[in-house]
């Protein structure tokens, strides 16, 4: 679906936890606990990111 984020009312909608598979492709926002899980588009230790540190 190419979604940038998934917004769910509660963690129960994800079976009790946000899976690594989901977190690899989209940010996840849990409304009832106001938690946000951000994905890494470029892993932090790759050469593309080293110049920004």
């Amino acid at each position: 679906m190419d979604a940038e984020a998934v917004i769910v009312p509660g963690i129960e909608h994800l079976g009790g936890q946000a899976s690594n598979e989901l977190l690899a492709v989209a940010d996840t926002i849990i409304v009832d606990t106001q938690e946000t899980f951000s994905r890494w588009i470029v892993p932090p230790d790759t050469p593309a990111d080293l110049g920004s540190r």
Side-chain angles (χ1 to χ4, degrees):
M1 297 261 174
D2 293 328
E4 293 293 321
V6 175
I7 302 170
V8 295
I11 195 72
E12 301 81 28
H13 284 81
L14 300 175
Q17 67 179 9
S19 69
N20 288 335
E21 292 84 7
L22 176 59
L23 296 176
V25 296
D27 294 347
T28 304
I29 302 166
I30 313 295
V31 175
D32 67 355
T33 59
Q34 298 181 357
E35 291 181 280
T36 301
F37 299 94
S38 298
R39 65 190 159 122
W40 282 99
I41 296 172
V42 177
D45 294 323
T46 62
D49 190 43
L50 292 178
S52 65
R53 291 183 184 194

